[in-house]
Amino acid sequence: TTTDVDNWPADVNGVQGPELMQRFLQHAERFEAQIVFDHIHTVDFSKRPFTLTGDGGEIYMADTVIIATGASAKWL
């Protein structure tokens, strides 16, 4: 929901939030990272590889997990 991002290093004129997210995605793809767009509701961290379960019932295996819970805007 963020449009103007003015505190991102190396973008002296600021950057739009959607453009910044697109650049993050392209950066990860450059290193051939597997990108999964799913909501994960269960993770088993007790053994490696980690087992993750998505909302649609899909099971994923991963050696590394990045937890991104998001944020909610505080509207006036």
Side-chain angles (χ1 to χ4, degrees):
T1 60
T2 299
T3 53
D4 296 320
V5 179
D6 281 322
N7 61 348
W8 186 253
D11 279 303
V12 296
N13 296 318
V15 63
Q16 294 289 303
E19 177 189 346
L20 185 59
M21 296 307 300
Q22 182 62 36
R23 291 182 347 196
F24 286 161
L25 177 61
Q26 290 171 332
H27 189 196
E29 289 172 340
R30 181 177 143 214
F31 294 98
E32 299 180 4
Q34 180 184 2
I35 309 298
V36 174
F37 293 97
D38 197 349
H39 289 110
I40 303 301
H41 62 77
T42 305
V43 181
D44 181 359
F45 287 117
S46 68
K47 62 186 183 318
R48 287 185 184 260
F50 304 127
T51 304
L52 300 86
T53 306
D55 280 349
E58 188 77 25
I59 303 292
Y60 305 99
M61 306 294 278
D63 294 316
T64 304
V65 175
I66 298 172
I67 299 172
T69 59
S72 297
K74 301 287 186 196
W75 304 107
L76 294 177

